[in-house]
Amino acid sequence: MGMGAVVESREWYLASYAPQGVPNSKHLKLRTASVSLEPHSIPDGHLAIQTLLLSIDPYIRTRFTGPNNLDGLYFPQYHLNQVITGVGIGRVKVSKDSKYKEGDIVLVFGDLPFAEYSVISSTKVSTKIDDDAIALPNYLSCLGVPGFAAWISLEVIGKPKKGSNVFISAASGAVGMIAGQLAKLKGSRVIGSTGSDEKVKLMKEEFGYDDGFNYNKEVDLDAALSKYFPDGIDVYVDNVGGKTLEAVLNHVNKQARIALCGMISQYDKVWTERDGVRNLLNLIGKEVRMEGFMIGSYFNLFDDFAEEMKKYIKEGKLKPKHKINIGIETALDSLNSLFTSSNIGKVIIQFNA
């Protein structure tokens, strides 16, 4: 494609807010825009980017529940008629910043438009990717939002030790698969819960969990936790909230730590219809520390995190699983797939570039 071209770029935009339930094509729509790659039309300090990979993360769902949402995550809402954004990897087509040149591969943490081409401020770029030893999808899993969330859950909040009893919900999802492997690397005993027998097999065989159960089969969570944690729970990484969190609180040990990472079972519901947790008194009697966090508050630790994760990846100690969907048109279905029990690993869209 010659320089100075105008390209057709498909993009996803927000047509209407979806306060609850499963979003559909009334809410998120695909349209085609023209993007100029003429160098004189790119402002100084900006880059024209061709998107290569987009990360599909559950928090995106909370960004179009509407401006009056009391969902508890308080992410800024997408604006109507605007292109939605997320985390992704792109190739620089035109650069108006001396730090970047045409052909550079860049990671954009949070503000990359869901579009085939876009023009963004170079300040939105988190890092230039120049390590050939690490496959690109890893930057959206182990080294991306889910990896960082898993790392903070354990390194900063949960702090498991050798021999700690660690429980992880949504264990074969994007955060869970990494949290389980990190906890094992710390020498802990790690048990996970997930939504199918296939995923239980996966977390044991591929992600190295000591054991795990299918919550759709072992519906009595209390009995399941008694069985898998005869010595109680020291660290819980919560990705689901609701009834699972309540069940865990009846099995915590003294001074247990709970990292509240996400509550995927609750995102599609208005807060008054969500499951309450009735046994918070256990936090007092057992002196439990339960802490929520947003990864944006920990970017001062990002370099430490990335260094540790890159080392594990290169040593073959971290094995992520990626579900790669091809083409920008798969975005809505990819997002909705995160909320089904068939979802496994990190969902990524690969562009037909």
Side-chain angles (χ1 to χ4, degrees), residues 264-333:
I264 203 164
S265 71
Q266 311 292 305
Y267 289 163
D268 281 349
K269 303 178 185 142
V270 181
W271 78 269
T272 48
E273 291 170 16
R274 293 177 181 163
D275 298 320
V277 174
R278 297 168 297 183
N279 51 355
L280 290 173
L281 198 55
N282 294 0
L283 296 178
I284 301 172
K286 290 281 175 78
E287 299 179 337
V288 176
R289 177 167 166 184
M290 180 158 77
E291 188 175 339
F293 69 93
M294 299 292 273
I295 64 172
S297 303
Y298 290 91
F299 274 129
N300 60 314
L301 300 176
F302 192 85
D303 291 347
D304 298 348
F305 149 75
E307 195 182 329
E308 185 178 331
M309 299 298 263
K310 283 177 177 172
K311 184 169 148 302
Y312 289 148
I313 294 167
K314 288 174 177 175
E315 290 170 359
K317 289 179 178 168
L318 258 188
K319 298 188 181 69
K321 196 169 182 69
H322 302 122
K323 168 83 175 82
I324 295 182
N325 297 329
I326 305 290
I328 189 172
E329 62 280 1
T330 63
L332 179 60
D333 290 341

Side-chain angles (χ1 to χ4, degrees), residues 188-351:
S188 305
R189 176 178 171 268
V190 189
I191 306 289
S193 66
T194 188
S196 74
D197 290 350
E198 178 204 0
K199 293 202 276 190
V200 170
K201 188 168 177 287
L202 183 80
M203 70 170 135
K204 294 201 289 200
E205 291 175 5
E206 290 195 33
F207 306 145
Y209 276 76
D210 292 290
D211 213 338
F213 62 92
N214 171 0
Y215 57 76
N216 286 314
K217 216 175 228 180
E218 304 203 32
V219 287
D220 183 344
L221 285 172
D222 193 62
L225 292 176
S226 295
K227 178 165 97 185
Y228 292 101
F229 290 100
D231 301 322
I233 296 170
D234 300 307
V235 176
Y236 172 46
V237 177
D238 186 23
N239 293 302
V240 300
K243 292 178 169 38
T244 304
L245 177 58
E246 185 175 87
V248 165
L249 291 183
N250 287 333
H251 293 268
V252 284
N253 288 332
K254 205 157 181 83
Q255 291 182 327
R257 287 170 174 259
I258 298 173
L260 299 179
C261 188
M263 297 195 171
I264 203 164
S265 71
Q266 311 292 305
Y267 289 163
D268 281 349
K269 303 178 185 142
V270 181
W271 78 269
T272 48
E273 291 170 16
R274 293 177 181 163
D275 298 320
V277 174
R278 297 168 297 183
N279 51 355
L280 290 173
L281 198 55
N282 294 0
L283 296 178
I284 301 172
K286 290 281 175 78
E287 299 179 337
V288 176
R289 177 167 166 184
M290 180 158 77
E291 188 175 339
F293 69 93
M294 299 292 273
I295 64 172
S297 303
Y298 290 91
F299 274 129
N300 60 314
L301 300 176
F302 192 85
D303 291 347
D304 298 348
F305 149 75
E307 195 182 329
E308 185 178 331
M309 299 298 263
K310 283 177 177 172
K311 184 169 148 302
Y312 289 148
I313 294 167
K314 288 174 177 175
E315 290 170 359
K317 289 179 178 168
L318 258 188
K319 298 188 181 69
K321 196 169 182 69
H322 302 122
K323 168 83 175 82
I324 295 182
N325 297 329
I326 305 290
I328 189 172
E329 62 280 1
T330 63
L332 179 60
D333 290 341
S334 297
L335 178 61
N336 285 333
S337 76
L338 299 179
F339 299 91
T340 64
S341 58
S342 61
N343 175 47
I344 287 174
K346 176 79 197 89
V347 177
I348 292 170
I349 296 175
Q350 181 180 320
F351 283 57

Side-chain angles (χ1 to χ4, degrees), residues 130-146:
D130 43 21
D131 189 334
D132 294 338
I134 293 176
L136 285 185
N138 283 319
Y139 285 91
L140 301 181
S141 59
C142 300
L143 293 160
V145 170

